[in-house]
DNA sequence: CCAAATAATCGTTAATCTACGATAAACGAT
DNA sequence: ATCGTTTATCGTAGATTAACGATTATTTGG
């Protein structure tokens, strides 16, 4: 979507924050990727192969999902020999939580 | 993605919650839809036409985005004469926030 | 050095998404 | 009853996504 001058202030987020937030949500917008995040939260760190065992998906597909999550900044991966070890990017996740709370809290239910 | 018996417990969420959460994230995975939610949070309720003025998108496109958000349960829309009035589905948003917090909190940073 | 293991990338296919204009449907006002 | 307003839906084109197998690159162990 391209912005133009008709859009002074779309809401509570800046444009950058809107883009960032949408990108993070998009990365979480697939069950496999939600499971990966959940799994990483549970076990802290793991290799790509562990996730391939966990999910009913081909290795190449899992690798793609990991790439999406990494590009959105939600996880980090570092090469350890022939393997790659993934873990959550905790500061980034924290920022995501804060944005969700900003979006939703102080709503009177 | 289809699940199979190799997947006993994907993480902290049930399968249903995983699906629900992914669907809500997916709905928020576009800047226009984030802006709509933000706008609705700011002004509480508005008509489709207001959002068409706000965003640099055609009316039919805005209507589609509203449909996505409604299908994900994040907003509600009710017909008022020839117009449709949209507002946040606050209980649903609250659930979303709780899920995000469950996903990310109690991480030691 | 070579073989095995691991993960990323490439190429491809099918499906979904995003955007638009055009049209249809619903309603209020004249 | 008809017209104008508003919104939803339809049809479509182009881009992106999700999935796979095959291939490649890298590294470790023998």
């Amino acid at each position: 979507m391209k912005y133009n001058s008709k859009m002074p202030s779309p809401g509570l987020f800046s444009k950058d924050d809107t883009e960032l937030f949408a990108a993070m949500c998009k990365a979480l917008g697939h069950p496999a990727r939600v499971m990966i995040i959940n799994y990483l939260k549970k076990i802290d760190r793991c290799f790509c192969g562990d996730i391939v065992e966990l999910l009913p998906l081909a290795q190449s597909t899992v690798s793609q999902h990991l790439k999406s999550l990494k590009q959105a900044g939600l996880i980090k991966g570092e090469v350890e020999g022939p393997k790659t070890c993934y873990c959550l990017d905790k500061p980034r996740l924290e920022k995501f939580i804060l944005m969700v709370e900003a979006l939703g809290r102080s709503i009177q239910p």
Side-chain angles (χ1 to χ4, degrees), chain A residues 1-3 7-27 72 92 95-96 98-100 102-103:
Chain A
M1 188 183 58
K2 60 179 184 304
Y3 303 95
M7 289 179 47
S9 145
L12 302 169
F13 289 175
S14 69
K15 286 176 187 176
D16 281 355
D17 274 358
T18 298
E19 296 283 350
L20 174 64
F21 183 70
M24 290 197 277
C25 284
K26 188 173 181 178
R92 221 59 183 329
K95 178 164 175 63
F96 178 64
L98 290 176
M99 293 183 85
V100 171
L103 195 68

Side-chain angles (χ1 to χ4, degrees), chain A residues 22-37:
Chain A
M24 290 197 277
C25 284
K26 188 173 181 178
L28 289 171
H30 190 289
R33 294 193 290 266
V34 173
M35 288 184 204
I36 291 171
I37 295 290

